[in-house]
Amino acid sequence: MKIVKTVNEVREIVGEWRKHGLSVGFVPTMGYLHEGHESLIKSAVTQNDKVVVSVFVNPMQFGENEDFNSYPRDIERDSEICEKAGVDFIFNPEVSEIYGKHFSSFVNMNTLPDGLCGKSRPIHFKGVCTVVSKLFNIVCPDRAYFGQKDAQQLAIIKRMVSDLNFDIEIIGCPIIRESDGLAKSSRNTYLNAEERKAAVVLSRSLGVGRELIENGENDAKKIISAIRNEIEKEKLAKIDYIEIVDMNMLQPVNEIKESVLVAMAVYIGKTRLIDNFIFNQIE
Ligand code: AMP
């Protein structure tokens, strides 16, 4: 399976597919693929004639003190995984191919990027929206696949595609977890053995919150406080945020009376991990 490095080559290959009326699915990633990415790829392979996966660690979405340089990379392994999964090619550009010398256009958004992860990562979603827009314009897929794991990102991409009239269907895919509940993430490789054990506190504490809601508790403060108490039992954990927000504008709610997103970011040692669940009132 081919690893394509240039925008022109992507355009040539996809252009040929288009001439033959073939549908194209697209899975944008930062690589170091795991079963979470694989589930997105599987959906894409099932639903489209051709599938493109991008592997690009996007410098624009990392803050100055974040892990751009240390982010794990292994394009050979990624390529094997994609080949087995039936991907047609990987787009793996150099940074200079995506951001030329005089690059100066950005895609930004009001409101949705302000809360949740946006609070401690203020430039993150500007970088995400900019690169995803570029990738959409390069690959021109019919459908693009994003994980619920990054729930705020998924909401932002859906909003962006609607606001800017991208002719692309955005498909959200469920969170894939390790057997103990930890959401799969490329960043899990940063955890040492003790931290790995501690990291299960994210999904465990979300379970506490879910149970409360399912048993009729609708006071968001009480639910957040129960989740917080559970996390604070774990000495390696430090809370970045726990929030309960509405599904449309991601604004904090006081009372659970519609579908909500319960989301958190927690540091385990130096590693910042995220997790969430959606509670559908109509479930
Ligand atoms: P990343 O490589 O971390 O930028 O992720 C690429 C895509 O894979 C994003 O849409 C993520 O939401 C999705 N993803 C990452 N981890 C998981 C997971 N555990 N389950 C489902 N999707 C995931």
Side-chain angles (χ1 to χ4, degrees):
M1 191 210 43
K2 204 164 183 173
I3 298 179
V4 174
K5 303 296 285 185
T6 67
V7 172
N8 281 344
E9 198 179 350
V10 174
R11 292 228 158 102
E12 269 169 36
I13 298 172
V14 177
E16 273 306 306
W17 293 344
R18 291 266 169 236
K19 274 190 211 156
H20 293 91
L22 300 173
S23 63
V24 181
F26 177 45
V27 183
T29 81
M30 297 204 299
Y32 214 73
L33 303 180
H34 50 66
E35 286 91 338
H37 301 110
E38 282 178 63
S39 76
L40 271 56
I41 294 171
K42 208 170 176 187
S43 300
V45 168
T46 311
Q47 296 170 6
N48 301 275
D49 299 316
K50 297 285 181 186
V51 172
V52 180
V53 171
S54 63
V55 171
F56 180 62
V57 185
N58 174 35
M60 199 190 284
Q61 70 191 63
F62 286 78
E64 263 181 30
N65 299 317
E66 292 184 353
D67 56 343
F68 174 71
N69 288 322
S70 55
Y71 196 84
R73 293 160 167 91
D74 189 344
I75 190 67
E76 274 167 31
R77 195 175 145 270
D78 290 347
S79 163
E80 281 164 23
I81 290 172
C82 285
E83 176 139 36
K84 274 198 198 122
V87 171
D88 291 275
F89 71 83
I90 292 181
F91 179 41
N92 176 226
E94 296 299 325
V95 171
S96 57
E97 179 72 8
I98 296 297
Y99 301 115
K101 207 168 156 200
H102 303 296
F103 187 86
S104 39
S105 305
F106 301 91
V107 180
N108 211 350
M109 190 181 287
N110 286 337
T111 317
L112 282 180
D114 295 344
L116 305 170
C117 289
K119 265 192 203 144
S120 54
R121 307 189 75 190
I123 55 120
H124 177 67
F125 290 110
K126 181 180 172 187
V128 169
C129 286
T130 302
V131 82
V132 170
S133 300
K134 284 174 64 72
L135 290 168
F136 282 177
N137 283 330
I138 294 164
V139 177
C140 298
D142 298 282
R143 298 180 192 85
Y145 297 78
F146 291 84
Q148 179 63 47
K149 157 98 185 332
D150 299 270
Q152 187 176 16
Q153 169 174 280
L154 176 57
I156 285 173
I157 298 296
K158 281 186 175 165
R159 178 84 266 134
M160 180 185 84
V161 161
S162 166
D163 288 352
L164 301 184
N165 304 97
F166 281 100
D167 191 12
I168 298 171
E169 188 185 351
I170 301 301
I171 316 267
C173 302
I175 302 178
I176 304 298
R177 299 176 178 281
E178 303 286 353
S179 55
D180 65 358
L182 176 64
K184 299 216 179 222
S185 165
S186 309
R187 290 191 169 98
N188 291 349
T189 53
Y190 296 152
L191 304 168
N192 65 30
E194 198 190 351
E195 290 168 343
R196 171 62 189 80
K197 268 193 208 149
V200 77
V201 76
L202 280 88
S203 56
R204 194 173 67 229
S205 63
L206 284 174
V208 170
R210 184 187 268 282
E211 204 179 321
L212 272 177
I213 301 178
E214 282 172 355
N215 288 331
E217 180 58 72
N218 64 5
D219 182 336
K221 266 198 194 131
K222 284 191 188 155
I223 297 157
I224 290 173
S225 155
I227 294 174
R228 181 177 298 278
N229 287 342
E230 187 66 26
I231 296 177
E232 285 173 349
K233 288 181 195 162
E234 176 48 68
K235 66 179 188 334
L236 294 179
K238 193 172 149 275
I239 297 165
D240 179 8
Y241 71 81
I242 308 165
E243 286 196 44
I244 304 183
V245 298
D246 73 85
M247 289 302 300
N248 291 319
M249 291 310 289
L250 306 182
Q251 293 301 301
V253 300
N254 294 320
E255 220 185 316
I256 320 285
K257 42 183 186 193
E258 51 179 340
S259 296
V260 288
L261 171 71
V262 182
M264 61 170 57
V266 175
Y267 285 91
I268 302 293
K270 287 194 176 132
T271 305
R272 184 175 176 281
L273 300 176
I274 57 173
D275 201 350
N276 69 77
F277 70 88
I278 291 171
F279 181 77
N280 283 315
Q281 203 61 284
I282 340 103
E283 254 176 5

